[in-house]
Amino acid sequence: MKRWRAGSGAAAAFGVAAMIAGLAGCGGSQYTFVRDSGGSTYFKVPATWHKVDQEAVDAALLGDPSSATAQVLKQKIWTAAYDGHTQPSIDHIMTAGPGGADEPFAFAMVNTLSEEQQQDVSLNALRNVMGFPVAATAAERAKNEQDEEYPYKNFELTRDEVLEGDNGAKGVRVQFSLRYRGGPLQTFQQTGYLSADGGTMSTFLIRCSATCFQQRQAELDSIAQSFKVKNNLG
C-alpha cells in the first residue's frame, strides 16, 4: 500500500481517484450530503466546509494525473475532500500549517479492489490503509520514534472499535494523535468499511488539531457516524 508522499502532506492508498458525484444539499440545509460515483458510500459534512479542488487532490496524491498509471487508478478509486478552512487545500489533510486556521478537514476514499487485493484485506488493513501505524506493535512504534525520517511522531492510539455495517459490511473506527514532521499535535478519526462481497474498501478520515478535537468531539463524531456503506448484494 502506498503512503502519504512526504513532500505533499497527502497520501495514496491503493491509488486515488476520480469522479465526484451526488452532492445534494437543499437550500438552507446545515449539511452537504456526499456520495461516491457508484452510489454505495455516503456521508455528510457541514455546509460551511468547502470542497477541495479535485484536480489539486489528484495532483497531490497521484503525481502527474496524465500518466498512464494515474489514469488506470482513476478508474478504480474515487475520492472527495472537504475543508473547514476558508481557503481549502489538500495540504490541510495533515495539518493546518503555520498560522493556519484551526479547522477540521475530511477526506473520503472508495477503492474497488482487484481479486489479488481482496486476498490481503483484513481489519488491520482497514486500520493501516492511509499509512498511519495504527496496527503497529509497541516495538514498531518505538522504532519509528527513533527514526529521524519517520513523519508520524508521538503517535498515540486512543480509540479502536469494530463496526458492523449494513448488508454484512465489516468496519473499524480508530482515533489517534500524532505530530506530522514536528508540527503541532493533530488528532485523526478514521472509519473504514469492507463491503460484504469484499470488492470495495471505503475510508473516511477527519483531522483537526488535538485542541480542536477535544472541543468539537461530539460534532466530529456525528460527521464520522454519517459515513455509511450500502452493498446491494445479488
Side-chain angles (χ1 to χ4, degrees):
M1 297 181 187
K2 297 182 180 179
R3 297 193 174 194
W4 299 109
R5 296 191 305 128
S8 68
F14 291 109
V16 229
M19 213 175 130
I20 304 284
L23 294 185
C26 304
S29 173
Q30 297 181 45
Y31 295 99
T32 297
F33 295 89
V34 188
R35 65 178 181 179
D36 75 306
S37 55
S40 62
T41 301
Y42 55 95
F43 59 95
K44 70 179 183 182
V45 294
T48 54
W49 294 13
H50 304 278
K51 185 176 180 297
V52 179
D53 178 73
Q54 190 63 36
E55 290 186 1
V57 174
D58 289 346
L61 301 181
L62 294 173
D64 181 3
S66 65
S67 70
T69 298
Q71 293 301 313
V72 170
L73 291 172
K74 280 187 175 185
Q75 303 305 311
K76 297 180 178 295
I77 304 175
W78 173 93
T79 57
Y82 286 81
D83 195 346
H85 196 287
T86 55
Q87 296 180 321
S89 170
I90 185 60
D91 291 335
H92 296 161
I93 195 168
M94 292 302 299
T95 178
D102 194 7
E103 293 291 341
F105 187 99
F107 175 77
M109 178 168 60
V110 179
N111 304 271
T112 300
L113 305 179
S114 67
E115 290 186 5
E116 181 179 359
Q117 288 171 334
Q118 291 179 39
Q119 302 304 312
D120 295 328
V121 175
S122 63
L123 293 183
N124 276 346
L126 290 175
R127 292 180 174 97
N128 288 343
V129 66
M130 303 300 290
F132 299 112
V134 179
T137 65
E140 289 170 335
R141 290 176 186 163
K143 184 177 180 180
N144 291 338
E145 291 294 328
Q146 299 302 315
D147 183 351
E148 294 184 358
E149 298 300 318
Y150 190 73
Y152 310 132
K153 295 298 181 68
N154 303 118
F155 182 91
E156 181 182 8
L157 181 65
T158 56
R159 179 178 183 178
D160 188 342
E161 59 182 306
V162 175
L163 306 174
E164 294 292 335
D166 295 326
N167 297 324
K170 300 293 184 181
V172 295
R173 179 170 292 126
V174 296
Q175 186 164 311
F176 52 89
S177 297
L178 58 82
R179 295 183 186 275
Y180 178 68
R181 298 199 174 279
L185 190 66
Q186 304 293 315
T187 297
F188 299 79
Q189 187 173 131
Q190 179 181 296
T191 304
Y193 282 104
L194 177 67
S195 62
D197 63 5
T200 304
M201 178 187 287
S202 302
T203 306
F204 188 48
L205 182 74
I206 301 173
R207 178 212 60 79
C208 205
S209 73
T211 299
C212 164
F213 241 99
Q214 290 172 0
Q215 295 173 343
R216 302 173 67 172
Q217 183 78 57
E219 174 195 1
L220 300 179
D221 279 350
S222 176
I223 294 168
Q225 290 163 10
S226 76
F227 184 67
K228 302 291 185 182
V229 174
K230 297 287 187 182
N231 183 28
N232 296 321
L233 296 175

